[in-house]
Amino acid sequence: MAKPRRNIQFQHRGSNAHDGRRPSVSEVSEGPSEPGSPVKAGMNGKMDVSIEELTEPPEPTEYEKKKQTFITRTIWTFIMIAFFFVAMLSGHIYIIGIITTIQIISFKEVIAIANVPSRAKGLKFTRSLNWYFLGTAMYYLYGESVIYYFKHIVLVDKVLLPFATHHRFISFMLYTIGFVFFVGSLQKGHYRFQFTQFAWTHMALYLIVVQAHFVMNNIFEGMIWFFLPASLVITNDIFAYICGIAFGRTQLIKLSPKKTVEGFVGAWVFTIIFGIGMTNVLMRYSYFICPVDDLGANFITGLNCTPNPVFLPQAYSLPAWTHITRTFHIAPMQFHILVFATFASLIAPFGGFFASGLKRTFKVKDFGESIPGHGGITDRMDCQFIMGFFAFMYYQSFIAVYKASVGGVMEMAIQGLSGEDQVEVVRGLAKYLVNQGVVAEGVLECLNGELGPRRR
């Protein structure tokens, strides 16, 4: 039998063979070695890079950044659409709340891009005056809407009546106080900057708050006058992007290099098609076509009204020279929607171009970061404001039916008649209603007893 070998030592990796364990990273990098050793230099170089790669994650590529932005943008788009539809079907009051929030945030974003220098100049009250003028403008505009659409409530309330009858004077005095305060806050050496801020604030009030006021009036006139213009702008924006990618070649405007003529025209066609189809759907529901008389109404409870003639089909015949004797029944709204879709496609986008020029002026990419993946609220509403303004003006000029309302009659009686004349109006109406069988004769006797003897 062969004798076992003794005193045989196996070679271990590294320089720590004596303790029989594998060297650690620190030992390899910090252990002694001969100067100029290629092994040592190689280990140092490789191990140092490895540690850096482990501690610092690699920078994402441009493709990964665009992919992540697209995913975030898409997710938040669907979230906003879902939230919007839930609010719209829940009732007009919720949409009014959303519009109010949007105009406040948009005003804040627009003011912020020009208000940064005020911090360095150390001027007081600049920001406070901005918010004061915003509050004054909202008080005036909201008051005008409430008084106009809810006269029958405001004018019979003992507390609200003085505010309603003197609303415009109160609003003017509030603005005057802010104006005087601004003049008193002027500081030598900063006149140009302060007057620039004053002008910028008033421009923001007009472009955002005033136009949002007309959007809100559209809601009071009927949900369709708010939803249809807004959806047309969104549709146009989507198809301008799709058509531009599909066959866009010719640049439309230098302010937005990615906008193309082909996308612009293609979006116009698709917006008209969408508008005709959406109008056919919305006209079937009183919740959308009826003016607001109850802010507590929703899609389930609905609204009751006599439909505007624009929603009722009318007979149309082609000219005799066509030799076609067929009669078509079309609601006039189908013709009006062509104008709405055309404005949303050819004019409203210039609101976005205006916003692009504004951002380039102040060298900012977005107005804010209110919506992940989209930028600020103003970045999404730049076309909506001018579209809502147009919808209100067009509706009042060509579609609205003007007739006496309860609120209008009450306003005339309260502001134009004395107390005794108002009593006579009540007596006359009561007698008429008794004769028509609407109320019992006992009501007239009760009124005569409470109102006292008739004047002669």
Side-chain angles (χ1 to χ4, degrees):
M1 181 179 297
K3 295 182 180 179
R5 298 181 181 181
R6 298 179 181 179
N7 300 328
I8 296 178
Q9 295 182 354
F10 293 92
Q11 183 177 2
H12 294 279
R13 297 179 184 178
S15 59
N16 293 336
H18 61 278
D19 59 2
R21 62 183 176 86
R22 186 170 181 169
S24 64
V25 173
S26 60
E27 288 173 343
V28 171
S29 59
E30 296 176 2
S33 64
E34 296 180 4
S37 169
V39 175
K40 171 61 182 173
M43 291 299 290
N44 272 339
K46 290 181 180 179
M47 297 310 293
D48 289 345
V49 172
S50 303
I51 293 172
E52 278 188 16
E53 290 177 350
L54 289 172
T55 55
E56 295 183 7
E59 284 288 329
T61 63
E62 191 67 24
Y63 170 78
E64 291 174 340
K65 291 180 180 179
K66 290 183 178 179
K67 180 181 178 181
Q68 185 60 41
T69 301
F70 177 78
I71 293 173
T72 304
R73 186 186 183 96
T74 303
I75 291 174
W76 275 94
T77 297
F78 283 107
I79 290 175
M80 288 189 295
I81 291 175
F83 179 75
F84 172 76
F85 273 97
V86 169
M88 182 179 64
L89 299 179
S90 298
H92 300 75
I93 190 66
Y94 296 99
I95 293 295
I96 292 173
I98 291 176
I99 298 300
T100 303
T101 304
I102 286 175
Q103 71 174 344
I104 293 174
I105 297 176
S106 296
F107 179 82
K108 176 180 177 294
E109 291 175 347
V110 171
I111 288 299
I113 65 174
N115 201 38
V116 174
S118 66
R119 298 177 182 174
K121 293 180 179 294
L123 297 174
K124 297 180 179 180
F125 308 119
T126 301
R127 185 182 295 270
S128 301
L129 277 173
N130 291 337
W131 289 106
Y132 178 83
F133 283 123
L134 172 64
T136 301
M138 291 181 65
Y139 173 80
Y140 170 70
L141 296 172
Y142 275 65
E144 288 289 305
S145 296
V146 170
I147 294 171
Y148 180 80
Y149 291 102
F150 300 98
K151 295 174 183 176
H152 59 289
I153 297 175
V154 175
L155 296 178
V156 298
D157 189 280
K158 186 177 180 180
V159 177
L160 297 178
L161 180 59
F163 291 96
T165 53
H166 303 99
H167 171 70
R168 293 180 179 177
F169 180 77
I170 294 173
S171 300
F172 173 75
M173 292 308 299
L174 289 173
Y175 177 81
T176 303
I177 292 172
F179 176 77
V180 172
F181 196 82
F182 165 75
V183 175
S185 66
L186 291 173
Q187 295 184 20
K188 187 177 180 179
H190 301 309
Y191 294 151
R192 180 184 294 274
F193 172 77
Q194 287 182 290
F195 278 103
T196 301
Q197 288 293 308
F198 184 78
W200 180 258
T201 300
H202 283 68
M203 186 197 75
L205 289 174
Y206 169 73
L207 293 178
I208 296 174
V209 181
V210 173
Q211 294 189 107
H213 161 71
F214 292 109
V215 174
M216 196 167 302
N217 285 351
N218 291 339
I219 299 173
F220 290 127
E221 296 290 353
M223 188 66 79
I224 190 173
W225 306 114
F226 162 75
F227 175 71
L228 199 56
S231 62
L232 288 174
V233 170
I234 295 172
T235 301
N236 182 261
D237 190 35
I238 292 173
F239 280 101
Y241 176 76
I242 295 174
C243 294
I245 290 179
F247 42 82
R249 295 292 182 273
T250 310
Q251 188 182 52
L252 177 65
I253 189 170
K254 292 183 178 180
L255 280 174
S256 296
K258 296 182 180 180
K259 302 291 184 181
T260 62
V261 175
E262 294 80 3
F264 198 66
V265 176
W268 179 22
V269 175
F270 282 102
T271 303
I272 290 176
I273 296 173
F274 170 84
I276 294 173
M278 182 58 67
T279 301
N280 277 330
V281 174
L282 297 179
M283 288 193 304
R284 301 175 184 177
Y285 300 96
S286 62
Y287 178 73
F288 286 97
I289 66 176
C290 287
V292 179
D293 57 4
D294 180 11
L295 288 176
N298 55 49
F299 183 74
I300 297 176
T301 60
L303 292 168
N304 295 316
C305 68
T306 300
N308 189 308
V310 77
F311 299 118
L312 303 178
Q314 298 182 16
Y316 293 93
S317 300
L318 295 176
W321 57 265
T322 61
H323 302 290
I324 299 176
T325 58
R326 184 179 175 183
T327 301
F328 301 90
H329 290 82
I330 304 174
M333 185 60 192
Q334 293 291 10
F335 298 109
H336 291 295
I337 195 61
L338 300 178
V339 181
F340 276 75
T342 299
F343 189 92
S345 302
L346 304 184
I347 306 299
F350 282 85
F353 301 151
F354 177 85
S356 297
L358 202 60
K359 288 185 287 187
R360 289 176 181 271
T361 301
F362 290 94
K363 298 179 181 180
V364 294
K365 181 180 179 182
D366 297 310
F367 282 100
E369 299 178 352
S370 306
I371 311 173
H374 289 267
I377 291 288
T378 312
D379 294 288
R380 296 277 64 84
M381 297 298 297
D382 46 14
C383 302
Q384 294 286 0
F385 288 130
I386 190 173
M387 184 66 200
F389 195 0
F390 166 78
F392 176 82
M393 292 301 177
Y394 187 89
Y395 171 82
Q396 295 293 334
S397 300
F398 302 105
I399 299 176
V401 176
Y402 296 98
K403 57 182 181 180
S405 64
V406 175
V409 173
M410 291 178 61
E411 182 182 25
M412 292 176 60
I414 292 173
Q415 297 182 352
L417 299 177
S418 64
E420 293 181 349
D421 291 334
Q422 293 169 9
V423 170
E424 290 302 313
V425 171
V426 172
R427 290 182 191 276
L429 285 175
K431 186 175 181 180
Y432 170 80
L433 295 175
V434 169
N435 293 335
Q436 296 296 318
V438 178
V439 297
E441 188 173 353
V443 175
L444 179 59
E445 296 176 356
C446 180
L447 282 174
N448 289 330
E450 292 294 330
L451 297 177
R454 183 187 299 270
R455 69 172 183 174
R456 296 178 182 235

